[in-house]
Amino acid sequence: MDQVAIVGAGLIGSSWALVFARAGRAVRLYDPDPAALPVALSRVDGALEMLEAHGLLGEQPASIRSRIVVTADLREAVRDALYVQENAPERTAIKAELFARLDTLADPRAILASSTSTIPVSQFTQDLPGRGRCIVAHPSTPPHVLRLVEVCPAPWTHEDTVTRTLEMQEAVGQVPTLIRKEVQGFVLNRLQVALACEAFRLWEDGIASADHIEKTVSETLGMRWSLMGPFETLSLNAPDGLADYFARFGEIMHRINTSQVARPIAPEAVAQLEAELFGDAPPDFAAKRSRRDERLLGLVAAKTARAGDGEA
Ligand SMILES: NC(=O)c1ccc[n+]([C@@H]2O[C@H](COP(=O)([O-])OP(=O)(O)OC[C@H]3O[C@@H](n4cnc5c(N)ncnc54)[C@H](O)[C@@H]3O)[C@@H](O)[C@H]2O)c1
């Protein structure tokens, strides 16, 4: 059974542990904070229960769970592992320090993959002797439900590292996509940031309420985007496809786009937005996250069921 190390046991690390264990890998799940480990395992248990309830596990949850061992010792975590998935906080300095330790401790053949959402791997591996085995494998949230993984090498990442990372992700049931050139935020977060920042400006400028903006995405844009991406969506919004769409709307799109000017987001404004969304008492975010994952599973099941019918 191949050994995998998951480094950082927060939201993403615990979900990765489940992805690899579900695919039959022996997982060591590491966090420097020992208190994070039982929390991570209870997240795994909750997720296993949910997957089991939807009939999405090929074996008993207990046997999957038995393949996950937790540790607060990094050397122990990476012992014998040929694949390491890092999930520490999104800070370049933390990743740099951690990758330097991983490069020393891990088997020289091991791939060191980062879950970073936004930081090109070249920004924290430049001086490492083993930089050729470092790569980004950025998951969607949560990876045990949404399978797309953005794989992004640095200019010095070995071709063999890229190939083995893509193969590993496919082998554990994920859907890897290869980013051709390093860019901050990769593809997923660049698209997400563009929408989120515009949503924030529309709300802050008093053009629409938070609820209105939420509904615009969940009832319309998001419904279509769960079937196809932005290009296909636009190609169906004009009688004769994409060129027709741009002939009709290209100029106005450009005018709107130039009026969408970046500006800082003040913490006071975020607090106000949160109050509008949730009132005085913050909701139970863990429970809301769990409910979201449950509904996402329903969507994934519906999409999978229609996958063979020739539609998007
Ligand atoms: N949350 C998301 O939606 C999401 C999605 C995709 C990728 N990511 C990326 O995954 C990574 C982890 O994000 P998260 O949401 O799981 O954060 P999190 O805060 O839930 O978990 C981070 C964990 O890292 C641990 N940690 C702190 N210092 C560490 C160190 N030096 N070495 C190892 N572990 C350390 C913390 O104790 C904590 O348990 C980030 O790079 C983030 O950008 C997050």
Side-chain angles (χ1 to χ4, degrees):
M1 188 163 44
D2 295 346
Q3 187 72 49
V4 165
I6 307 292
V7 172
L11 276 183
I12 293 301
S14 50
S15 180
W16 269 128
L18 172 47
V19 167
F20 286 99
R22 180 175 63 184
R25 304 304 193 276
V27 173
R28 285 208 203 86
L29 177 58
Y30 160 85
D31 203 284
D33 175 9
L37 297 171
V39 177
L41 285 180
S42 68
R43 282 201 193 104
V44 170
D45 286 338
L48 277 170
E49 207 175 293
M50 196 183 285
L51 292 168
E52 165 84 338
H54 284 259
L56 294 172
L57 293 179
E59 62 181 319
Q60 288 301 313
S63 45
I64 295 174
R65 173 72 149 70
S66 70
R67 290 196 280 273
I68 303 175
V69 172
V70 296
T71 177
D73 177 347
L74 189 59
R75 183 183 298 274
E76 168 64 11
V78 299
R79 187 168 50 83
D80 300 330
L82 292 182
Y83 187 89
V84 178
Q85 182 77 41
E86 168 276 323
N87 323 279
E90 189 75 347
R91 297 270 179 278
T92 307
I94 293 179
K95 307 248 187 227
E97 199 259 328
L98 184 54
F99 267 70
R101 289 179 68 203
L102 289 172
D103 195 29
T104 309
L105 295 175
D107 186 300
R109 296 165 300 166
I111 284 173
L112 307 180
S114 175
S115 290
T116 176
S117 308
T118 58
I119 314 171
V121 74
S122 61
Q123 291 186 15
F124 53 89
T125 59
Q126 183 162 11
D127 300 324
L128 299 185
R131 64 185 194 170
R133 61 182 169 142
C134 299
I135 193 162
V136 166
H138 167 240
S140 313
T141 313
H144 68 271
V145 177
L146 299 179
R147 300 184 303 149
L148 188 124
V149 178
E150 297 186 308
V151 172
C152 185
W156 49 73
T157 303
H158 295 155
E159 201 46 50
D160 174 61
T161 305
V162 177
T163 309
R164 282 169 58 210
T165 304
L166 294 169
E167 283 171 0
M168 171 60 107
Q169 291 297 337
E170 270 172 18
V172 298
Q174 302 301 96
V175 178
T177 54
L178 183 62
I179 308 266
R180 293 184 190 144
K181 280 189 219 167
E182 282 196 313
V183 64
Q184 186 167 27
F186 312 115
V187 171
L188 191 160
N189 274 304
R190 290 187 78 85
L191 294 175
Q192 179 161 252
V193 163
L195 184 77
C197 289
E198 177 62 7
F200 198 89
R201 287 189 294 264
L202 288 169
W203 170 79
E204 197 174 32
D205 290 345
I207 290 161
S209 69
D211 181 57
H212 177 152
I213 294 167
E214 289 288 303
K215 280 204 183 91
T216 305
V217 176
S218 65
E219 298 298 324
T220 301
L221 295 171
M223 295 285 270
R224 295 196 299 236
W225 288 341
S226 73
L227 301 174
M228 62 190 78
F231 302 138
E232 262 200 87
T233 296
L234 296 187
S235 77
L236 301 185
N237 286 0
D240 295 317
L242 197 61
D244 187 17
Y245 186 90
F246 276 96
R248 290 163 189 251
F249 301 111
E251 205 184 306
I252 187 75
M253 279 172 83
H254 180 63
R255 246 181 288 144
I256 291 173
N257 190 215
T258 47
S259 72
Q260 295 173 312
V261 181
R263 65 189 189 217
I265 294 178
E268 303 76 37
V270 177
Q272 226 178 311
L273 173 59
E274 222 172 13
E276 186 178 320
L277 279 166
F278 305 125
D280 291 340
D284 179 344
F285 286 112
K288 274 179 86 79
R289 201 174 290 120
S290 175
R291 175 83 187 118
R292 175 204 63 186
D293 292 352
E294 179 111 45
R295 296 171 80 192
L296 277 175
L297 279 175
L299 263 182
V300 171
K303 274 192 78 165
T304 310
R306 291 185 65 103
D309 69 3
E311 288 185 21

